[in-house]
Structures are given as C-alpha cells and as structure tokens.
Amino acid sequence: MKRFFLIFICLFLTLPVFADTMPFYVDSIPKSVIGMYQTGENITIFSHPEANSKVIKNFNFSYNPETMPDNVFAVLINEKKLGFLYVSDIGDDGWVEVIYDRVTGAKGWVLTEDRLQFLPWLNFYNMYGRKYGLRFMKDSPDELEILKAKSEDLSQTVSTLRYVKQIRVTAIRGNWALVSVVDLDKTPKMGYLRWRGDDGTIYAFPNIK
C-alpha cells in the first residue's frame, strides 16, 4: 500500500502544470472594464500616460506556467503565448490603463505598439467570440440563458438553452450577440443572446482555448 502511494505521489509531481487563466464567474470582470490589452513578452507599466512618468512595474513573461506571475492576467493561454490584461481607461496617443493585479485592483498605464493590441469589448468579441464561440459564466442567471428573436429584452423568446454544447457567434450588436446554438437535442437554433448587461456585467465570454 505504501509503495502504491509513493508511486502515485511521484506521478502527480511529474504531471505538467497548466497555470492558464480565464474568467469563469460574473464578478471576475469588473464592470468598469472597457476591453482587453494583449501582452507581449514584456511590458512596462507607468504611473501616468506619459513616457517620462514613474515606472510602476516591469514584467517579463516566459509563458512557462511555473514562472508566470499570479493574479496579473485576465486571460492567459501559456501554450499559445496569448495573454490579456483588463483595460479600465484610454488616454491619448495609444496609452491605455490596465489592471495588473486582479486581487488588489492595482492599475497603471501602458503604451500600445499597434492598433490591435488594445481591443474594446466589441472588437474583442467580434474577433475571439467569432473564432471560439461563447460560453456562459458559471453563475450567470438562468433567465438569461435564452435566445431572443430580436436584440431586445422584451422581444419573443426563440428558445431556452439547456446543456448547450456550442454557441457560435455571427455578429455582435451592442450588448447582444447573434448566435447559432447546438443544444442537447442537437437541433440548431439561432437568435440573440445577451452577453452583457446594461450595467456592464458580463454574462457570456469567448470560449478561448
């Protein structure tokens, strides 16, 4: 028995570490967030949107799960070297304010290198929502897991979603997404899904893999 236990421990210790990060709950994403900033291998965070302002933090990212910092990323897929920070504000000349500590909410300014490094929510959903589809947050209200005929709360309900296998995005229109869904009965359904509340609460997120 002891030998079996030692073998089990050895196998457990040799398993690969998958320290990827993804928001799964409604309160994971602050309502004030306006989009995402894609990181590279290193970033410098400033106190103000000026290159001569105080440097708050320097990050160098290896994308090795064992050495990546905790609580920095909003989204992180190490294998793809794909990482995003939440953006809380924008300045002039390519500056954006990011949240670089999800626990404390600490913020600072970074300078974007190209126009795709900062993606407002609509751009982010149009790009990654279309590519990977959407998934509901684990604690999204059940009453929102429905498809509507129009992008309006009072429009006719097309279908109530149960045990959804896949949500494919066709278009993003404000707080609504036009989607096609394969449900438990394997019958394709199409309609509008509310991915974000009017107060900024996000209920469905791109299913990035």
Side-chain angles (χ1 to χ4, degrees):
M1 183 68 180
K2 185 182 290 185
R3 183 180 179 184
F4 174 80
F5 181 75
L6 288 173
I7 292 173
F8 176 80
I9 292 295
C10 290
L11 288 173
F12 179 80
L13 291 175
T14 58
L15 288 174
V17 178
F18 299 103
D20 291 344
T21 302
M22 198 69 59
F24 285 106
Y25 295 92
V26 168
D27 63 359
S28 300
I29 306 176
K31 295 177 184 179
S32 59
V33 169
I34 60 175
M36 304 288 262
Y37 167 84
Q38 185 172 350
T39 60
E41 293 186 355
N42 50 73
I43 58 173
T44 300
I45 298 179
F46 297 84
S47 60
H48 295 86
E50 301 169 354
N52 60 356
S53 65
K54 179 183 177 182
V55 173
I56 299 176
K57 203 89 172 177
N58 278 306
F59 286 107
N60 293 294
F61 303 126
S62 64
Y63 296 98
N64 177 344
E66 296 181 355
T67 60
M68 292 296 279
D70 294 328
N71 304 319
V72 172
F73 288 90
V75 171
L76 175 63
I77 307 293
N78 285 294
E79 186 177 358
K80 295 184 176 181
K81 295 186 176 182
L82 181 66
F84 291 94
L85 305 185
Y86 292 131
V87 174
S88 53
D89 198 2
I90 56 174
D92 297 328
D93 303 320
W95 288 91
V96 296
E97 185 184 51
V98 299
I99 298 174
Y100 64 88
D101 189 318
R102 291 184 291 106
V103 173
T104 67
K107 302 175 183 178
W109 291 87
V110 295
L111 183 61
T112 57
E113 297 177 359
D114 60 62
R115 63 184 182 85
L116 292 178
Q117 199 165 18
F118 163 56
L119 294 173
W121 278 134
L122 294 186
N123 298 52
F124 182 77
Y125 274 72
N126 270 313
M127 181 178 293
Y128 289 95
R130 286 188 181 212
K131 183 175 181 179
Y132 294 103
L134 299 179
R135 58 167 173 78
F136 283 107
M137 296 297 197
K138 291 183 177 181
D139 56 347
S140 290
D142 291 340
E143 58 266 26
L144 292 182
E145 296 185 11
I146 56 176
L147 295 183
K148 292 285 190 176
K150 298 180 181 179
S151 54
E152 302 169 359
D153 287 317
L154 298 179
S155 67
Q156 180 183 354
T157 297
V158 174
S159 178
T160 299
L161 304 178
R162 293 290 181 265
Y163 307 105
V164 177
K165 292 187 175 182
Q166 190 175 32
I167 303 176
R168 293 180 176 175
V169 177
T170 299
I172 299 292
R173 296 176 182 173
N175 294 331
W176 296 82
L178 178 61
V179 301
S180 60
V181 174
V182 177
D183 212 334
L184 186 62
D185 61 7
K186 298 182 180 180
T187 302
K189 305 175 179 70
M190 179 169 281
Y192 286 92
L193 177 97
R194 181 180 268 281
W195 65 269
R196 181 174 62 180
D198 293 334
D199 65 349
T201 303
I202 289 179
Y203 299 112
F205 196 79
N207 193 24
I208 301 173
K209 299 176 180 178

